[in-house]
Amino acid sequence: MTEREIVIVGGGVTKFASDRVDANVRDLVVEAVRLAVADAGVTLTDVEQGLTSYESDHFNRQMTLGAILQDHIGMVPKPNLRVEGGGATGALALRTAYAYLKGGLCDSIVVYGGETNGKSVTSATAQQFFALSSDADWEMMVGGTYTAYYATMIREHMRRYGTTEAQFAHVSVKNRRNAGYNAMAQKPMDITVEDVLASRPIAEPYKLLDCSLLSDGAAAMILATKAWARAHSQHWGQRPAVHFVATGCGTDTMRLGDRPRPYPGLAHFRGKRNAARQAYAMAGIENPRRQLDVAELYDSYSGVELQAYEDLGFCEYGQGGPAAEEGLFDFGGDLVVNPSGGLLGRGAPVGATGIAQAVEIMLQLRGEAGGQRQVVGARRGLTDTHAGTGTHCVVNIFEQRDN
Amino acid sequence: MTEREIVIVGGGVTKFASDRVDANVRDLVVEAVRLAVADAGVTLTDVEQGLTSYESDHFNRQMTLGAILQDHIGMVPKPNLRVEGGGATGALALRTAYAYLKGGLCDSIVVYGGETNGKSVTSATAQQFFALSSDADWEMMVGGTYTAYYATMIREHMRRYGTTEAQFAHVSVKNRRNAGYNAMAQKPMDITVEDVLASRPIAEPYKLLDCSLLSDGAAAMILATKAWARAHSQHWGQRPAVHFVATGCGTDTMRLGDRPRPYPGLAHFRGKRNAARQAYAMAGIENPRRQLDVAELYDSYSGVELQAYEDLGFCEYGQGGPAAEEGLFDFGGDLVVNPSGGLLGRGAPVGATGIAQAVEIMLQLRGEAGGQRQVVGARRGLTDTHAGTGTHCVVNIFEQRDN
């Protein structure tokens, strides 16, 4: 048995939006799969297995939606599964696709995910829905919401390292600016740090412009063994190949109050650090900031991105704030973070997010991101997602290789 | 790279019940994992990955429950994922564990699943909940319930083959009798075909005693590579080894009305036949009735079991009714079906069901089922589960092998 190399054959992402009144989650997923099939240059009937990614029955108003989507995209009667891991769902789906391919259960797989969070009636409704994914017995019951949990975490970061509100406001400015380079982004904005600081408080220190978006949208990706891609994709050999080289996963307690103290403490994402460690070992990465060229991080709140810089080893603990302020991870730096606009600028339909991140990395590694959005010479990229407050974390790594 | 052989290290199942007022889903899963750890003779801290199996946020009154259960059983900060496929959830979780192990993402994994369907306030509430897992746009909206969908399928079987209500009543009698041999079963009953026929109509031709149970319960299984099991299980070498040798999966449309006609038609489960075909090819099985000794089938309704006999190739199409009547798949036959009592007698907490079936097969292949429940000399066993009306089907095959 020879080593099975896993490649991305193609991917597609719908426009993320809060006003997709024209489309429900089924329509959105069909749209994304069609884009992925066209990008891959394959016939969907050749693809052997489906994998559905969505977070919740609530958000999509349907139970066992995986079976329905499998039918809507035309993959019945072939095998399917649904994977869920809160905010990490899309990345976990790709990780699981890797396992199915590597383990030989199939040679090709289409991973498709969507969510209609934008259709929540109001943002207050959305907060309540998301609160259902905190601990319903011990957190939601006392009125907890996710913005408040994240606020608690960044407050501890501020206390410990002197991180400032202006520092994490820089993340919001950068990502919303980057969204302007991406035609599929939900809400590009040309704003300043002062605009962020002056926006309405949600759960202090987080203000409206520190918070990511509520979105409707879908994303899809076709992955396969290299041998399958060579045999079935018309585009194979005509552009750089993107390999799926590593994946890591870590978990943490749902309740913040249950986490070990003082180490690593509330300021950090333990699960993310563990996920990154596994993925780096698999990819042979010792110095992520040097060895990676581009990364899509899970910026559910602006401060979370600078916390991720640290947990992923892009900088030392406590240096996330200064790094954001100095724009170390902006275009022109060693490592460009969130060229797509991230959750803050591109949007965040939960089940699609992790897949959309990987599609962005795919485009970057192929040199097809276009214009100002393209990270010049990108050869290796990472995606980072998490559920809850880092309760379930997945890091995936992709590499451009010669055919 | 040598072939990685996948084995069951151990498994455990809680008592299934409709009155577990002492336990919520977290407690039940902890109970099942403890049983599995003891049975496996391992230390849980040695196990590398967790995999959560449950069907719905609704049934358990919690979103992203996977993360919470991972913590409750003591598997944080290790990797986790949640898998869902309606009624096939537990078997799909095992199939995915197989992929993770075979693909080298881990060498050991604990799969745990539970559901608290028994806690539904009334069976009418439960019907409504389950209806959410039919097509919410096109079936549920017109008042569809699962008992009615299954009734439609078996009516077509009756029309085409002359199958009778008395024939499928035999399945209910057999499985509820078998439950009497199983101390963990929810509702053993000593009933006759006449009792089933005289019970209250639910959706004709299905009557109350043709319907499976609503249950609270959990099940867990530890799987690993053979090398890991040898190194970490105290019991390794002291009892027959049970190998996980094959898995298959098929899907079908959610709406019955969307299925191709006349072939295979409403009387049959197309996805199940596809799943079985794949699994048989993987296991080298040409004559399932001869080559299998024991099977746990998804008897959500009594008639579904005789439909499964046919789709799984245990008998010819149209012969399921006579086979049930003659007791071909009862103790003493070539192939014993549902020695545990099945969903009709043991119970059906959705996320646990497929895992509990596999635990039953594990016990049977080890010769540890005990007393009248043991299928003498069982060496190869199968589990069959499905979602919806065969919308998502999974078949897994296990084999006893010398150490």
Side-chain angles (χ1 to χ4, degrees), chain A residues 1 3 24 26 49 54-59 61-64 67-68 70-71 75-84 86 92 95-96 98-100 102-103 105 129 132-138 247 249-254 258 270 274 278 282 391-392, chain B residues 1 3 24 26 49 54-59 61-64 67-68 70-71 75-84 86 92 95-96 98-100 102-103 105 129 132-138 247 249-254 258 270 274 278 282 391-392:
Chain A
M1 192 166 141
E3 187 69 27
N24 65 16
R26 305 176 189 200
Q49 161 96 35
Y54 72 96
E55 183 182 10
S56 176
D57 305 342
H58 298 289
F59 296 143
R61 290 157 287 278
Q62 175 67 59
M63 267 173 68
T64 61
I68 290 179
Q70 176 86 350
D71 185 24
M75 281 291 287
V76 164
K78 294 178 213 174
N80 178 239
L81 80 155
R82 172 201 171 193
V83 164
E84 183 264 325
L92 195 60
R95 173 176 162 83
T96 303
Y98 178 95
Y100 269 64
K102 202 81 176 176
L105 283 185
F129 270 161
L132 288 170
S133 69
S134 66
D135 190 315
D137 287 357
W138 299 101
T247 176
C249 179
T251 54
D252 209 333
T253 67
M254 182 64 92
D258 289 336
R270 174 169 61 147
N274 284 336
Q278 293 161 32
M282 232 170 133
T391 313
H392 201 156
Chain B
M1 194 165 141
E3 187 69 28
N24 65 16
R26 306 177 189 199
Q49 161 97 36
Y54 72 96
E55 183 182 10
S56 176
D57 306 341
H58 297 289
F59 296 143
R61 289 155 288 278
Q62 174 68 57
M63 269 173 67
T64 62
I68 290 179
Q70 177 86 350
D71 185 25
M75 281 292 287
V76 164
K78 293 177 212 173
N80 178 240
L81 81 154
R82 172 200 170 191
V83 164
E84 182 265 324
L92 196 59
R95 172 175 163 84
T96 302
Y98 178 94
Y100 269 64
K102 203 81 176 175
L105 283 184
F129 270 159
L132 289 170
S133 69
S134 66
D135 190 314
D137 287 357
W138 299 101
T247 175
C249 178
T251 55
D252 210 332
T253 67
M254 182 65 92
D258 289 335
R270 174 170 59 149
N274 284 336
Q278 294 162 32
M282 232 172 134
T391 312
H392 200 157

Side-chain angles (χ1 to χ4, degrees), chain B residues 74-381:
Chain B
M75 281 292 287
V76 164
K78 293 177 212 173
N80 178 240
L81 81 154
R82 172 200 170 191
V83 164
E84 182 265 324
T89 295
L92 196 59
L94 294 176
R95 172 175 163 84
T96 302
Y98 178 94
Y100 269 64
L101 290 165
K102 203 81 176 175
L105 283 184
C106 56
D107 292 327
S108 55
I109 188 165
V110 53
V111 179
Y112 48 92
E115 209 92 35
T116 48
N117 302 98
K119 292 201 197 303
S120 307
V121 184
T122 63
S123 58
T125 311
Q127 286 281 0
Q128 288 165 21
F129 270 159
F130 280 117
L132 289 170
S133 69
S134 66
D135 190 314
D137 287 357
W138 299 101
E139 289 180 301
M140 192 189 75
M141 292 289 276
V142 294
T145 65
Y146 267 98
T147 311
Y149 305 141
Y150 281 109
T152 304
M153 294 183 79
I154 198 71
R155 269 210 185 285
E156 172 63 5
H157 202 275
M158 294 166 80
R159 189 192 65 78
R160 193 182 291 189
Y161 303 115
T163 307
T164 68
E165 299 181 36
Q167 286 173 336
F168 49 82
H170 273 93
V171 170
S172 190
V173 171
K174 166 177 76 71
N175 293 354
R176 291 172 197 270
R177 181 174 59 230
N178 290 353
Y181 311 143
N182 181 355
M184 303 307 252
Q186 179 173 340
K187 204 165 182 178
M189 290 176 88
D190 183 17
I191 51 171
T192 64
V193 167
E194 290 65 39
D195 292 329
V196 179
L197 294 174
S199 63
R200 181 164 61 87
I202 304 294
E204 290 172 293
Y206 283 135
K207 294 156 291 289
L208 184 64
L209 291 174
D210 290 304
C211 304
S212 57
L213 306 166
L214 291 171
S215 317
D216 291 357
M221 182 169 267
I222 296 168
L223 299 108
T225 60
K226 188 174 164 180
W228 189 96
R230 186 184 292 122
H232 292 87
S233 164
Q234 317 171 3
H235 304 326
W236 191 258
Q238 292 165 17
R239 60 190 180 197
V242 178
H243 286 238
F244 186 175
V245 296
T247 175
C249 178
T251 55
D252 210 332
T253 67
M254 182 65 92
R255 277 189 71 245
L256 286 175
D258 289 335
R259 300 196 179 167
R261 275 165 293 182
Y263 178 82
L266 287 184
H268 304 298
F269 293 85
R270 174 170 59 149
K272 193 166 288 196
R273 194 170 40 190
N274 284 336
R277 196 179 290 150
Q278 294 162 32
Y280 292 156
M282 232 172 134
I285 290 177
E286 285 168 7
N287 184 335
R289 179 148 151 210
R290 280 219 191 149
Q291 292 178 267
L292 293 166
D293 305 299
V294 56
E296 288 278 304
L297 305 190
Y298 198 78
D299 53 331
S300 47
Y301 293 86
S302 57
V304 175
E305 181 170 310
L306 62 85
Q307 289 169 305
Y309 296 158
E310 301 172 3
D311 290 308
L312 298 171
F314 294 179
C315 65
E316 296 296 314
Y317 279 116
Q319 292 304 306
E325 195 164 15
E326 292 161 28
L328 289 188
F329 302 109
D330 204 343
F331 283 97
D334 295 347
L335 165 53
V336 181
V337 170
N338 283 329
S340 74
L343 281 67
L344 287 159
R346 174 162 66 173
V350 183
T353 301
I355 304 168
Q357 288 181 325
V359 172
E360 178 67 20
I361 298 297
M362 173 194 85
L363 293 173
Q364 293 287 349
L365 300 189
R366 284 194 201 147
E368 293 177 358
Q372 286 183 274
R373 180 169 148 216
Q374 178 64 46
V375 177
V376 180
R379 292 191 58 93
R380 201 187 266 142

